[in-house]
Each structure stands twice: as structure tokens, then as C-alpha cells.
Amino acid sequence: MKLNIALLAGDGIGPEVIDQAVKVSDAVAEKFNHEISWTPALTGATAIDAVGNPYPDETHEICEAADAVLFGAIGHPRFDNDPSAKVRPEQGLLKMRQKLGLFANVRPTFTFPSLIDKSPLKRERIEGTDLVFLRELTGGIYFGKRGREDDGNTAYDTCTYTRAEVERLARKGFEMALSRSKKLCCVDKANVLETSRLWRETVQGLEKDYPEVEVSYEFVDAVAMRLIQWPNAYDVLITENLFGDVLTDEASVISGSMGLMPSASLGEKTSLFEPIHGSYPQAAGKDIANPLATVLSAAMMFETAFGLQAEADAIRAVVNKSLAEGVVTEDLAEGGKAYKTSEVGDWLASHI
């Protein structure tokens, strides 16, 4: 199979971890007789520096023409520390999601047997955890009307959802639940927010179409607590943009490191795959960042974008092997040998 993949390394550690995912993907392609065409493109602070735009038209054209997008990270401290900046790297990410129609962010949370005691939570609370969030990605408060009034002393951000936006995300959640444990949780704040009442009303209206799925409805604050208490009580969770942003970051540390969790952003056509961690600028250029989340994002890409299950399984197997044998970066080494980012990538590729 010929695979046409847009490669957006982005900022910070993005280029370093993307390089390792490319090594592993190329090894998989060679093993299974595929041909990958990688097309690099600029985004984020790197794109601002080059052309003044965090998501240039040329980058969009490359992404739109690709079969899938593999993405590193966006963000730079000089923008984080400047509230008055008119152009920001994160604007590129929002623009990319909107223009590519990436409305469903899929973020799994699972544990690795060899790392279970590295989690901040007790072993008995997290063993067996295997859940997935579907976060709505192109609506809500991040895309609503915003501004300042009263000479800049009053600020507002508006959260808006349409029934159609909720329904297309919810249907993906129901379908995913059917392929897993047939349990779906709708996360909202329906006791306070009108948008959440629309979410709950819409999901309730879909229940009849998926009679095999057991549906529950929980407030976002309750879910935030239960994720810490009993994360394995959940299977598939669906929620709006802001709630999903916060809860998925909370869930990500259950495994023991944010550097381990992959994600996918699904649209009507092109889908994007990325690690959930940020650009981690403090580590940029030092060859110390954990590349496993990006490598596992490549596994999601083979599986979801191309339907290549054996290839995805091969990547996951070699990642598990590296963890079990201690071929890890400094965030997981804990007194043992800490491998460089590039060394982990080389090891993974050679063991494919």
C-alpha cells in the first residue's frame, strides 16, 4: 500500500519525537511491504517565525491532500509569557482543526504492566484501566465569541453548541462503545449550563438507535473525582471541548507519564495523529524527550487511517518490549540507564 502522510513536526520537542515515529513507521513499512511518502510542513511558532502564520495555506493544502497527518507539538514560552501577542502558535492548532474538520478527538488511557507502579495512583485502583475519551474538538468555548469590554477590565468567552455538532460526536461514541464494552458515559454540567442540557438531551434522543449500549450521565466534577478513585469504572466517555481538554490531561497521568499516551483527531476526510503532551520547550534539542506517545500515535494512524491492524500491533508490541526491558528515556529510567530520544527510536526500529 502507498501511504501519503503529512508530517508536521511543530515546536519544542516535536521534531525530535516525530523523527523517532518516522523511523519506526519506515521500519514497519519495510516489514509489511508498504511505501510511505512523507511531506513535511510548517506549523506553530516555527511557522510564525518563517512566514508569520501558525497554519499557512501551504500547510493546509499539504494536510488536505494527505491520507493522514502525523503531528508533533505546538507552543513556545515567548508566546505563553506575552498575553498581548496577536499571533500565537495555538491559533494554528485551532485553525487546523477547524479547516480540516477534525471534530472528534480520541484519547485513550491505559496502563502498561511494566510501569504500573510508576503511576501516582495505587496499583489496585488502576489495574485493568482501559478507557477512551471522545472530546468534541471544533465547537464550544474555544471557538465561541470572545472579547473585552469596560476598557479591557471585563472579558468574556462564549460557549455555543448546535445539536448537529453534539450528535455527530455522540454517534462516534456510541459506535466505539459497540466495539468495546458497550458502556458510554456522557460527561456534562447539565445542572448549570444550557449547552450541557443540549448535550444530555441529544444523547438521550440517540439511545434508541443503540439499544445494546448502556448509557450513563455524569457531571464533569464527579467524573474528575472518579477518574482518580476508580478509573477502570469507565469505558467510553464523550464530552464537550473544554471539559475534554481538562479531563483527558488528568487521565493521562494514570499510566505514569504523559509521554506515553497517543491521540487521534478524526474528521470527515483527513485525520490527524499526535502525542497528548505539549512542546516541552525545556527539553527541546537535548535528545531526552520520551518519544513513545508519538510512536504510539503512529500505531493509531496505521490502525485508524489505513486499517492496518497487524502493523499497529507490531508497533505496540515493540513499545511494550522496550518498556519491559528498560529501554526508556530519563522520565521513566528511575535510577537505571536513561536512553536518549534517538536511541529509543533506533532500538524500536531495529526490533520491528
Side-chain angles (χ1 to χ4, degrees), residues 161-211:
Y161 269 107
T162 66
R163 191 180 301 276
E165 287 175 318
V166 177
E167 182 172 331
R168 68 180 179 178
L169 189 282
R171 286 196 181 277
K172 281 201 174 291
F174 275 105
E175 290 160 8
M176 186 170 288
L178 283 172
S179 69
R180 291 170 54 94
S181 298
K182 297 183 174 60
K183 291 199 309 181
L184 180 73
C185 179
C186 176
V187 183
D188 59 37
K189 194 65 177 170
N191 56 337
V192 176
L193 301 177
E194 193 61 35
T195 47
S196 283
R197 287 190 273 273
L198 176 66
W199 270 79
R200 188 169 291 211
E201 176 186 305
T202 302
V203 175
Q204 287 173 337
L206 294 174
E207 285 190 40
K208 65 183 185 302
D209 296 338
Y210 304 92

Coordinates of all heavy atoms in Angstrom, one line a residue, residues 161-211:
Y161 N -23.0 25.5 21.2 CA -23.1 24.2 20.5 C -24.4 24.1 19.8 O -25.4 24.6 20.2 CB -23.0 23.0 21.5 CG -21.6 22.6 21.8 CD1 -20.9 22.9 22.9 CD2 -20.9 21.9 20.8 CE1 -19.6 22.5 23.1 CE2 -19.5 21.5 20.9 CZ -18.9 21.8 22.1 OH -17.6 21.4 22.3
T162 N -24.3 23.4 18.6 CA -25.5 23.0 17.9 C -25.8 21.6 18.1 O -24.9 20.8 18.5 CB -25.3 23.3 16.4 OG1 -24.4 22.4 15.9 CG2 -24.9 24.7 16.1
R163 N -27.1 21.2 17.9 CA -27.5 19.8 18.1 C -26.7 18.9 17.1 O -26.3 17.8 17.5 CB -29.0 19.6 17.9 CG -29.5 18.3 18.3 CD -31.0 18.2 18.1 NE -31.7 19.2 18.8 CZ -32.1 19.1 20.1 NH1 -31.8 18.0 20.8 NH2 -32.8 20.0 20.7
A164 N -26.5 19.4 15.9 CA -25.8 18.6 14.9 C -24.3 18.3 15.4 O -23.8 17.2 15.1 CB -25.7 19.4 13.6
E165 N -23.6 19.3 16.0 CA -22.3 19.1 16.5 C -22.3 18.0 17.5 O -21.4 17.2 17.6 CB -21.7 20.4 17.0 CG -21.4 21.4 16.0 CD -20.9 22.7 16.6 OE1 -21.5 23.2 17.6 OE2 -19.9 23.3 16.1
V166 N -23.2 18.1 18.4 CA -23.3 17.1 19.5 C -23.6 15.7 19.0 O -22.9 14.7 19.3 CB -24.3 17.5 20.6 CG1 -24.5 16.4 21.7 CG2 -24.0 18.9 21.2
E167 N -24.5 15.6 18.0 CA -24.9 14.3 17.5 C -23.8 13.6 16.8 O -23.6 12.4 17.0 CB -26.2 14.5 16.6 CG -26.7 13.2 16.1 CD -28.0 13.3 15.3 OE1 -28.8 14.2 15.7 OE2 -28.2 12.4 14.5
R168 N -23.1 14.3 15.9 CA -22.0 13.6 15.2 C -20.9 13.1 16.1 O -20.4 12.0 15.8 CB -21.4 14.5 14.1 CG -20.6 15.7 14.6 CD -20.1 16.5 13.4 NE -19.3 17.7 13.9 CZ -18.7 18.5 13.1 NH1 -18.8 18.4 11.8 NH2 -18.0 19.5 13.6
L169 N -20.6 13.8 17.2 CA -19.6 13.3 18.1 C -20.2 12.1 18.9 O -19.6 11.1 19.1 CB -19.2 14.4 19.1 CG -18.0 14.3 20.1 CD1 -18.4 13.5 21.3 CD2 -16.8 13.7 19.4
A170 N -21.5 12.3 19.4 CA -22.1 11.2 20.2 C -22.2 9.9 19.4 O -22.0 8.8 19.9 CB -23.5 11.7 20.6
R171 N -22.6 10.0 18.1 CA -22.7 8.8 17.3 C -21.4 8.1 17.2 O -21.3 6.8 17.3 CB -23.2 9.1 15.9 CG -24.7 9.4 15.9 CD -25.3 9.4 14.5 NE -26.7 9.7 14.5 CZ -27.7 8.9 14.8 NH1 -27.4 7.6 15.1 NH2 -29.0 9.3 14.8
K172 N -20.3 8.8 17.1 CA -19.0 8.1 17.1 C -18.7 7.5 18.4 O -18.1 6.4 18.5 CB -17.8 9.1 16.8 CG -17.7 9.5 15.3 CD -16.3 10.1 15.0 CE -16.1 10.2 13.5 NZ -16.0 9.0 12.8
G173 N -19.2 8.1 19.5 CA -19.0 7.5 20.8 C -19.8 6.2 21.0 O -19.3 5.2 21.5
F174 N -21.1 6.2 20.5 CA -21.9 5.0 20.5 C -21.3 3.9 19.7 O -21.2 2.7 20.2 CB -23.3 5.3 20.0 CG -24.3 5.9 21.0 CD1 -24.6 7.2 21.0 CD2 -24.8 5.0 22.0 CE1 -25.5 7.7 21.9 CE2 -25.7 5.5 22.9 CZ -26.1 6.9 22.9
E175 N -20.8 4.2 18.5 CA -20.2 3.2 17.7 C -18.9 2.6 18.3 O -18.7 1.4 18.2 CB -19.9 3.8 16.3 CG -21.1 4.1 15.5 CD -20.9 5.2 14.4 OE1 -19.7 5.5 14.1 OE2 -21.9 5.6 13.8
M176 N -18.1 3.5 18.9 CA -16.9 3.0 19.6 C -17.3 2.1 20.8 O -16.7 1.1 21.0 CB -16.1 4.2 20.1 CG -14.7 3.7 20.7 SD -13.6 5.1 21.0 CE -13.2 5.5 19.3
A177 N -18.3 2.5 21.5 CA -18.8 1.7 22.6 C -19.2 0.3 22.2 O -19.0 -0.7 22.8 CB -19.9 2.4 23.4
L178 N -19.9 0.2 21.0 CA -20.3 -1.1 20.5 C -19.2 -2.0 20.2 O -19.3 -3.2 20.3 CB -21.1 -0.9 19.2 CG -22.6 -0.4 19.4 CD1 -23.2 0.0 18.0 CD2 -23.4 -1.4 20.0
S179 N -18.0 -1.4 19.8 CA -16.8 -2.2 19.5 C -16.0 -2.6 20.8 O -15.0 -3.3 20.7 CB -16.0 -1.5 18.5 OG -15.3 -0.4 19.1
R180 N -16.4 -2.0 21.9 CA -15.6 -2.3 23.1 C -16.5 -3.0 24.2 O -17.0 -4.1 23.9 CB -15.1 -0.9 23.7 CG -14.0 -0.3 22.8 CD -13.6 1.1 23.1 NE -13.3 1.2 24.5 CZ -12.0 1.2 25.0 NH1 -11.0 1.0 24.2 NH2 -11.8 1.3 26.3
S181 N -16.8 -2.3 25.3 CA -17.6 -3.0 26.4 C -19.0 -2.5 26.4 O -19.7 -2.8 27.4 CB -16.9 -2.7 27.7 OG -15.6 -3.3 27.7
K182 N -19.5 -1.8 25.4 CA -20.9 -1.4 25.3 C -21.3 -0.5 26.5 O -22.4 -0.5 26.9 CB -21.8 -2.6 25.2 CG -21.5 -3.4 23.9 CD -22.5 -4.5 23.8 CE -22.4 -5.2 22.4 NZ -21.0 -5.8 22.2
K183 N -20.4 0.3 27.0 CA -20.7 1.3 28.0 C -20.3 2.7 27.6 O -19.2 2.9 27.1 CB -20.0 1.0 29.3 CG -20.4 -0.3 30.0 CD -20.0 -0.3 31.5 CE -18.5 0.0 31.7 NZ -18.1 -0.1 33.1
L184 N -21.2 3.7 27.7 CA -20.9 5.0 27.3 C -21.3 6.0 28.4 O -22.4 5.9 29.0 CB -21.8 5.3 26.0 CG -21.6 6.8 25.4 CD1 -20.2 6.9 24.8 CD2 -22.7 7.1 24.4
C185 N -20.5 6.9 28.7 CA -20.7 7.9 29.7 C -20.7 9.3 29.0 O -19.7 9.7 28.4 CB -19.7 7.9 30.8 SG -20.0 9.2 32.1
C186 N -21.8 10.0 29.2 CA -21.9 11.4 28.7 C -21.5 12.3 29.8 O -22.2 12.3 30.9 CB -23.3 11.7 28.2 SG -23.5 13.4 27.6
V187 N -20.5 13.1 29.7 CA -20.0 14.0 30.7 C -20.4 15.4 30.4 O -20.1 16.0 29.4 CB -18.4 13.9 30.8 CG1 -17.9 14.8 31.9 CG2 -17.9 12.5 30.9
D188 N -21.1 16.0 31.4 CA -21.6 17.4 31.2 C -21.7 18.1 32.5 O -21.2 17.7 33.5 CB -23.0 17.3 30.5 CG -24.1 16.5 31.3 OD1 -24.1 16.6 32.5 OD2 -24.9 15.8 30.6
K189 N -22.4 19.3 32.5 CA -22.7 20.1 33.7 C -24.1 20.6 33.5 O -24.4 21.7 33.6 CB -21.7 21.2 33.8 CG -21.7 21.9 35.2 CD -21.3 21.0 36.3 CE -21.3 21.8 37.6 NZ -21.1 20.9 38.8
A190 N -25.0 19.6 33.3 CA -26.4 19.9 32.9 C -27.2 20.5 34.0 O -28.3 21.1 33.8 CB -27.1 18.6 32.4
N191 N -26.7 20.5 35.3 CA -27.4 21.2 36.4 C -27.2 22.7 36.3 O -27.9 23.4 37.1 CB -27.0 20.6 37.7 CG -25.5 20.7 37.9 OD1 -24.7 20.7 37.0 ND2 -25.0 20.6 39.2
V192 N -26.2 23.1 35.5 CA -25.9 24.6 35.5 C -26.0 25.1 34.1 O -26.5 26.2 33.9 CB -24.5 24.8 36.1 CG1 -24.1 26.3 36.0 CG2 -24.4 24.3 37.5
L193 N -25.4 24.4 33.1 CA -25.2 25.0 31.8 C -26.2 24.6 30.7 O -26.5 23.4 30.6 CB -23.8 24.6 31.3 CG -22.6 25.0 32.1 CD1 -21.3 24.5 31.5 CD2 -22.5 26.5 32.3
E194 N -26.7 25.5 29.9 CA -27.7 25.2 28.9 C -27.1 24.4 27.8 O -27.7 23.5 27.3 CB -28.2 26.5 28.3 CG -29.5 26.3 27.5 CD -30.6 25.7 28.3 OE1 -30.8 26.0 29.5 OE2 -31.4 25.0 27.6
T195 N -25.8 24.6 27.5 CA -25.2 23.8 26.4 C -25.1 22.3 26.9 O -25.3 21.4 26.1 CB -23.7 24.3 26.1 OG1 -23.0 24.5 27.4 CG2 -23.8 25.6 25.3
S196 N -24.8 22.1 28.2 CA -24.8 20.7 28.7 C -26.2 20.1 28.7 O -26.3 18.9 28.4 CB -24.3 20.8 30.1 OG -22.9 20.9 30.2
R197 N -27.2 20.9 28.9 CA -28.6 20.3 28.8 C -28.9 19.9 27.3 O -29.5 18.9 27.1 CB -29.6 21.3 29.3 CG -29.6 21.5 30.8 CD -30.7 22.3 31.4 NE -30.5 23.7 31.4 CZ -29.9 24.3 32.4 NH1 -29.4 23.7 33.4 NH2 -29.7 25.6 32.3
L198 N -28.3 20.7 26.4 CA -28.5 20.3 25.0 C -27.7 19.0 24.7 O -28.2 18.1 24.0 CB -28.0 21.4 24.0 CG -28.0 21.0 22.6 CD1 -29.4 20.8 22.0 CD2 -27.2 22.1 21.7
W199 N -26.5 18.8 25.3 CA -25.7 17.6 25.1 C -26.5 16.4 25.7 O -26.7 15.4 25.0 CB -24.4 17.7 25.9 CG -23.3 18.3 25.1 CD1 -23.1 19.6 24.8 CD2 -22.3 17.5 24.4 NE1 -21.9 19.7 24.0 CE2 -21.4 18.4 23.7 CE3 -21.9 16.2 24.4 CZ2 -20.3 18.0 23.0 CZ3 -20.8 15.8 23.7 CH2 -20.0 16.7 23.0
R200 N -27.0 16.6 26.9 CA -27.7 15.4 27.5 C -29.0 15.1 26.8 O -29.3 13.9 26.5 CB -28.0 15.8 29.0 CG -28.6 14.6 29.8 CD -28.7 14.9 31.3 NE -27.3 14.9 31.9 CZ -27.1 14.6 33.1 NH1 -28.1 14.1 33.9 NH2 -25.9 14.7 33.6
E201 N -29.8 16.1 26.4 CA -31.0 15.9 25.6 C -30.7 15.1 24.3 O -31.4 14.2 23.9 CB -31.6 17.2 25.4 CG -32.9 17.3 24.5 CD -33.3 18.7 24.3 OE1 -33.4 19.5 25.2 OE2 -33.4 19.1 23.1
T202 N -29.6 15.6 23.6 CA -29.3 15.0 22.3 C -28.9 13.5 22.5 O -29.3 12.6 21.7 CB -28.2 15.8 21.6 OG1 -28.6 17.2 21.5 CG2 -27.9 15.2 20.2
V203 N -28.0 13.2 23.4 CA -27.6 11.9 23.6 C -28.7 11.0 24.1 O -28.8 9.8 23.6 CB -26.4 11.9 24.7 CG1 -26.0 10.4 25.0 CG2 -25.2 12.6 24.2
Q204 N -29.6 11.5 24.9 CA -30.8 10.7 25.3 C -31.6 10.3 24.1 O -32.2 9.2 24.0 CB -31.6 11.5 26.3 CG -31.0 11.5 27.7 CD -31.8 12.5 28.6 OE1 -32.5 13.4 28.2 NE2 -31.6 12.3 29.9
G205 N -31.7 11.3 23.1 CA -32.5 11.0 21.9 C -31.9 9.9 21.0 O -32.6 9.4 20.2
L206 N -30.6 9.7 21.2 CA -29.9 8.7 20.3 C -29.9 7.3 21.0 O -29.6 6.3 20.3 CB -28.5 9.1 20.1 CG -28.2 10.4 19.3 CD1 -26.8 10.8 19.3 CD2 -28.7 10.2 17.9
E207 N -30.3 7.2 22.2 CA -30.2 5.9 22.9 C -31.0 4.8 22.2 O -30.5 3.7 22.1 CB -30.7 6.0 24.3 CG -29.7 6.7 25.3 CD -30.2 6.6 26.7 OE1 -30.7 5.5 27.1 OE2 -30.1 7.6 27.5
K208 N -32.1 5.2 21.6 CA -33.0 4.2 21.0 C -32.3 3.6 19.7 O -32.6 2.5 19.3 CB -34.3 4.8 20.6 CG -34.2 5.9 19.5 CD -35.5 6.6 19.2 CE -35.4 7.6 18.1 NZ -34.4 8.7 18.4
D209 N -31.4 4.3 19.1 CA -30.7 3.8 18.0 C -29.5 2.8 18.3 O -29.0 2.1 17.5 CB -30.0 5.0 17.2 CG -31.1 5.9 16.6 OD1 -32.2 5.5 16.4 OD2 -30.7 7.1 16.3
Y210 N -29.2 2.8 19.6 CA -28.1 1.9 20.1 C -28.5 1.2 21.3 O -28.0 1.4 22.4 CB -26.8 2.7 20.3 CG -26.4 3.6 19.2 CD1 -26.8 4.9 19.0 CD2 -25.5 3.0 18.2 CE1 -26.4 5.6 17.9 CE2 -25.1 3.8 17.1 CZ -25.6 5.1 17.0 OH -25.1 5.8 15.9
P211 N -29.5 0.3 21.2 CA -30.1 -0.3 22.4 C -29.1 -1.2 23.2 O -29.4 -1.5 24.4 CB -31.3 -1.2 21.9 CG -30.9 -1.4 20.4 CD -30.2 -0.1 20.0

